[in-house]
Each structure stands twice: as structure tokens, then as C-alpha cells.
Amino acid sequence: MAISFGGSGRGDEDPMMASINTTPLVDIMLVLLIIFLITIPVVTHTVPVQLPQEANQPTQTQPGNVTIAVDAAGQVFWNAEPMADAATLRQRLTEAATQEPQPEVHVRGDREVPYEFVGRVVTACQRAGIAKLGFITEPPGQGG
């Protein structure tokens, strides 16, 4: 009894198919096209909202307000007077916190200053008990 593994042994094997069947690919592409045509108008639909307009309120500087500036090197200034160290800043902030009414503290940070230095000033204000702390910024230019 002869066992043959390659067909009937007479040489009538099917020739190898050299072309790719693109019918499933075309079907999938058509389905995706239909899905995109249906969903794109839903995605691009926007809800009309009234966006706020930019307004710059000038700072109302009162005689008791304190401006603390931090330059690019991390040096701290109290109303344009340089502070020697962090202990001096904490002492001045504690004195300001006990005043009645308590002054507002405005922090001006240089654009290039690392956040750490401004964070130290904010932490010192918090520990001293300053109730009103604000940041002074410049509005964006007219060009956008």
C-alpha cells in the first residue's frame, strides 16, 4: 500500500496563485469611508458659546500694599528694596500680617525666574498669614 502526501501523484497540483485578492480590502475601505462620512459632520459641529473678552484692570495701588519682586537670578525685593535673606523676608511679612487692615501682597516674578524662587515667596506669605496674595502680569501684546 503506497501512501502519497503530495496529492494524487499524477502531477495535477493547483498552480500557485500569484495575485492578491483585493475584494476584502475594497469592502473594508468602503465601509470606513461611509463611517467617516457619517461621523465627521457630528464631530465638527460646534456649540455656540459666548467667550469672555480680555480686559486688563489697572492695579489699584494703595499706600499699604506690598510689592515683592523676584528677578531672574532669584533675588527678592520688597517694594524695590533688596532683601538680604529669607529670614528678613519672613520677618517683614509677619509684621505686615499683623497690621490692621492687612495689606495686599503683590508678587512680580521675572519671566526667566525658576518657579522655585516664586514658590518660596508664596510659601513665606502663607506661613506669615497673609490673606490677600496676587500676581502681577503683563497683558499679551496687541499682535496676538
Side-chain angles (χ1 to χ4, degrees):
M1 176 168 185
I3 300 176
S4 72
F5 293 102
S8 61
R10 291 178 277 164
D12 59 350
E13 295 179 8
D14 292 334
M16 184 185 294
M17 214 171 147
S19 64
I20 298 175
N21 187 3
T22 59
T23 304
L25 178 66
V26 171
D27 290 344
I28 290 173
M29 295 305 290
L30 287 174
V31 169
L32 288 175
L33 180 66
I34 291 170
I35 290 172
F36 288 142
L37 287 175
I38 292 172
T39 58
I40 286 178
V42 175
V43 172
T44 59
H45 177 70
T46 59
V47 177
V49 293
Q50 294 292 328
L51 296 175
Q53 298 295 320
E54 178 182 336
N56 187 11
Q57 301 278 336
T59 305
Q60 299 295 329
T61 305
Q62 299 172 355
N65 287 352
V66 176
T67 302
I68 298 177
V70 183
D71 67 0
Q75 177 67 37
V76 179
F77 297 86
W78 179 282
N79 287 339
E81 174 189 335
M83 294 278 94
D85 57 358
T88 308
L89 176 65
R90 281 193 299 267
Q91 177 187 4
R92 299 279 298 264
L93 285 170
T94 305
E95 292 172 3
T98 58
Q99 294 177 1
E100 204 48 56
Q102 192 180 75
E104 294 180 14
V105 175
H106 301 152
V107 178
R108 296 173 51 123
D110 190 274
R111 179 182 307 219
E112 302 298 323
V113 70
Y115 178 76
E116 175 185 0
F117 297 113
V118 177
R120 288 179 185 172
V121 171
V122 172
T123 303
C125 291
Q126 181 183 15
R127 289 184 179 161
I130 299 295
K132 293 183 179 179
L133 175 69
F135 292 95
I136 298 177
T137 61
E138 292 182 4
Q142 297 294 347

